[in-house]
mmCIF file of all heavy atoms in Angstrom:
data_model
loop_
_atom_site.group_PDB
_atom_site.id
_atom_site.type_symbol
_atom_site.label_atom_id
_atom_site.label_comp_id
_atom_site.label_asym_id
_atom_site.label_seq_id
_atom_site.Cartn_x
_atom_site.Cartn_y
_atom_site.Cartn_z
ATOM 1 N N MET I 1 -5.617 7.205 11.365
ATOM 2 C CA MET I 1 -5.795 6.192 10.351
ATOM 3 C C MET I 1 -5.894 4.842 11.044
ATOM 4 O O MET I 1 -5.173 4.558 11.989
ATOM 5 C CB MET I 1 -4.632 6.202 9.368
ATOM 6 C CG MET I 1 -4.665 5.026 8.408
ATOM 7 S SD MET I 1 -3.706 5.262 6.906
ATOM 8 C CE MET I 1 -4.930 6.010 5.875
ATOM 9 N N THR I 5 -6.297 -6.003 8.499
ATOM 10 C CA THR I 5 -5.561 -6.941 7.668
ATOM 11 C C THR I 5 -6.341 -8.235 7.500
ATOM 12 O O THR I 5 -6.888 -8.758 8.468
ATOM 13 C CB THR I 5 -4.198 -7.261 8.325
ATOM 14 O OG1 THR I 5 -3.503 -6.035 8.552
ATOM 15 C CG2 THR I 5 -3.356 -8.157 7.446
ATOM 16 N N ASP I 17 -7.644 3.110 6.260
ATOM 17 C CA ASP I 17 -8.838 3.930 6.382
ATOM 18 C C ASP I 17 -8.507 5.271 7.034
ATOM 19 O O ASP I 17 -8.136 5.321 8.199
ATOM 20 C CB ASP I 17 -9.866 3.179 7.228
ATOM 21 C CG ASP I 17 -11.240 3.796 7.177
ATOM 22 O OD1 ASP I 17 -11.390 4.904 6.631
ATOM 23 O OD2 ASP I 17 -12.171 3.167 7.693
ATOM 24 N N LEU I 28 1.906 2.590 9.516
ATOM 25 C CA LEU I 28 1.824 1.785 8.297
ATOM 26 C C LEU I 28 3.135 1.041 8.071
ATOM 27 O O LEU I 28 3.121 -0.142 7.737
ATOM 28 C CB LEU I 28 1.493 2.645 7.076
ATOM 29 C CG LEU I 28 1.460 1.891 5.742
ATOM 30 C CD1 LEU I 28 0.431 0.759 5.762
ATOM 31 C CD2 LEU I 28 1.199 2.844 4.588
ATOM 32 N N VAL I 53 -3.041 11.476 1.068
ATOM 33 C CA VAL I 53 -1.685 10.979 1.287
ATOM 34 C C VAL I 53 -0.724 12.150 1.106
ATOM 35 O O VAL I 53 -0.910 12.986 0.218
ATOM 36 C CB VAL I 53 -1.336 9.798 0.348
ATOM 37 C CG1 VAL I 53 -1.315 10.226 -1.096
ATOM 38 C CG2 VAL I 53 -0.021 9.147 0.730
ATOM 39 N N LYS I 66 9.997 -1.750 -0.615
ATOM 40 C CA LYS I 66 11.368 -2.251 -0.482
ATOM 41 C C LYS I 66 11.436 -3.447 0.464
ATOM 42 O O LYS I 66 12.107 -4.434 0.186
ATOM 43 C CB LYS I 66 12.300 -1.142 0.016
ATOM 44 C CG LYS I 66 12.576 -0.079 -1.006
ATOM 45 C CD LYS I 66 13.498 0.985 -0.433
ATOM 46 C CE LYS I 66 13.787 2.075 -1.427
ATOM 47 N NZ LYS I 66 14.663 3.115 -0.861
ATOM 48 N N GLY I 81 -8.089 6.551 -4.536
ATOM 49 C CA GLY I 81 -8.937 7.654 -4.971
ATOM 50 C C GLY I 81 -8.157 8.684 -5.768
ATOM 51 O O GLY I 81 -6.940 8.580 -5.958
ATOM 52 N N ARG I 95 4.764 4.652 -11.465
ATOM 53 C CA ARG I 95 5.557 3.741 -12.304
ATOM 54 C C ARG I 95 6.153 2.609 -11.477
ATOM 55 O O ARG I 95 6.399 1.525 -11.989
ATOM 56 C CB ARG I 95 6.670 4.506 -13.008
ATOM 57 C CG ARG I 95 6.128 5.524 -13.983
ATOM 58 C CD ARG I 95 7.231 6.289 -14.630
ATOM 59 N NE ARG I 95 6.662 7.330 -15.487
ATOM 60 C CZ ARG I 95 7.375 8.147 -16.205
ATOM 61 N NH1 ARG I 95 8.689 8.073 -16.187
ATOM 62 N NH2 ARG I 95 6.786 9.054 -16.950
#
Side-chain angles (χ1 to χ4, degrees):
M1 171 160 271
T5 305
D17 192 351
L28 177 59
V53 65
K66 289 180 181 179
R95 295 178 184 181

